[in-house]
Amino acid sequence: MKTAHSLAEFTQMRSEIDGATAFVPTMGALHEGHLSLMRLAKERCESVIASIYVNPTQFAPHEDFDSYPRDLEGDLALLENEGVDLVFLPSEADIYPSGPAARTKSGCAAEGLESKFRPHFFDGVATVVSRFFEIVKPAHAVFGEKDFQQLQVIREMVETGGLPIEIIGGPIARDEHGLALSSRNEYLSAEELEIARMLNQIVYKAAENPTEDVLKEAQEMLLTAGFERINYVAYKPEWNRVLAAAWLGKTRLIDNCSIKKAD
Ligand code: PAF
């Protein structure tokens, strides 16, 4: 596995890869969910490129950019083990030559849900992902379905921009209790972890019959389980999904489930 620590190094190493590539962008602190995306990429394409970059423009000033978990050495060992060919570790100047600002506007898929609570988020994601696409030039790119709205935002961006990139969604990886894996799960105390494991059960239940009343009841169930603040439990018919976001201490958890079949 090759590791590029700068855009110049990446450009050189990228030019040595022939044929189509599959790309998996990450913010590091890798877990089984990320690794399952690497495997999906590997199935699709002989050559896999991953990136690790904690993108400042998708965090609001009051959010956890500084404390976001980072473990570069551990991440590189995991990626090597998955047979990733090239890892890109850009600097801020590589991604934002004119300074970190969200310059790409996300489309209609960004409306509502996450945007209501994290209005900065999708423009930051669209900006960094479009910059990565410009640099990496992948034929395929893989994103996890846990961030389901993000996946839709990226699909829309690729479609409206006419980019020749196939976007692949990877199923949510869960622990043995059904909790969706997330780098932010590291923030949870043992007691919070127990409560967090109720989220998927409540979302799955709501997805059986997502009426207004059922969605409201799901919010009440989350509060009863110990979640302190519910951002939303919502049904998006066009995505055939129930999606939820709720706070447990300093941790914001998201999850989603398709209506017909459980993930
Ligand atoms: O899903 C993530 O980890 C990030 O939002 C992404 C797509 C790597 C962009 O920074």
Side-chain angles (χ1 to χ4, degrees):
M1 183 175 84
K2 290 189 172 163
T3 305
H5 295 85
S6 67
L7 178 56
E9 262 183 32
F10 180 80
T11 308
Q12 173 57 37
M13 291 173 178
R14 173 73 182 89
S15 71
E16 289 159 11
I17 299 178
D18 290 328
T21 59
F23 174 53
V24 189
T26 80
M27 297 209 299
L30 303 181
H31 50 67
E32 183 51 37
H34 295 107
L35 303 184
S36 68
L37 303 183
M38 303 298 157
R39 284 171 215 139
L40 259 184
K42 200 83 199 166
E43 272 169 30
R44 192 58 63 118
C45 235
E46 183 56 29
S47 303
V48 174
I49 298 176
S51 62
I52 301 177
Y53 180 66
V54 185
N55 172 37
T57 64
Q58 66 190 76
F59 291 80
H62 63 277
E63 291 184 339
D64 58 343
F65 175 73
D66 288 333
S67 58
Y68 194 83
R70 290 164 170 87
D71 175 16
L72 184 56
E73 213 181 304
D75 289 348
L76 291 177
L78 290 170
L79 293 177
E80 174 128 53
N81 196 42
E82 291 302 329
V84 167
D85 299 270
L86 174 56
V87 185
F88 184 24
L89 309 172
S91 68
E92 188 170 288
D94 290 332
I95 299 296
Y96 296 106
S98 338
R103 296 187 181 86
T104 306
K105 279 258 149 251
S106 46
C108 304
E111 283 165 17
L113 302 175
E114 286 297 291
S115 290
K116 192 158 169 226
F117 302 93
R118 305 185 72 200
H120 56 282
F121 180 66
F122 288 121
D123 288 351
V125 168
T127 302
V128 78
V129 171
S130 62
R131 175 75 176 137
F132 271 123
F133 284 173
E134 197 177 279
I135 297 171
V136 176
K137 297 183 178 51
H140 316 273
V142 188
F143 296 83
E145 288 186 347
K146 183 173 76 68
D147 296 275
F148 199 82
Q149 190 176 9
Q150 169 177 278
L151 176 63
Q152 304 315 311
V153 166
I154 290 160
R155 283 194 195 286
E156 185 183 22
M157 183 178 89
V158 164
E159 217 173 285
T160 53
L163 303 180
I165 303 171
E166 182 201 19
I167 301 300
I168 301 161
I172 301 175
R174 299 182 179 278
D175 75 4
E176 67 276 25
H177 303 277
L179 174 66
L181 300 186
S182 161
S183 305
R184 288 187 169 102
N185 290 354
E186 285 186 25
Y187 300 155
L188 298 169
S189 67
E191 196 189 322
E192 288 171 340
L193 191 59
E194 288 303 310
I195 301 170
R197 286 175 171 151
M198 298 297 293
L199 178 60
N200 72 94
Q201 295 179 28
I202 293 170
V203 171
Y204 271 49
K205 187 90 196 101
E208 284 172 11
N209 177 29
T211 62
E212 282 297 312
D213 284 351
V214 166
L215 297 172
K216 225 158 120 202
E217 199 185 318
Q219 301 210 15
E220 277 152 26
M221 285 164 77
L222 287 170
L223 290 170
T224 308
F227 282 87
E228 287 136 33
R229 219 160 3 116
I230 316 304
N231 282 165
Y232 57 83
V233 179
Y235 173 41
K236 278 289 256 190
E238 62 273 44
W239 299 342
N240 194 40
R241 294 253 149 184
V242 168
L243 306 98
W247 283 88
L248 204 45
K250 63 172 181 156
T251 314
R252 185 173 186 272
L253 296 169
I254 59 173
D255 204 342
N256 68 81
C257 172
S258 65
I259 302 307
K260 285 190 194 76
K261 63 171 183 62
D263 285 306

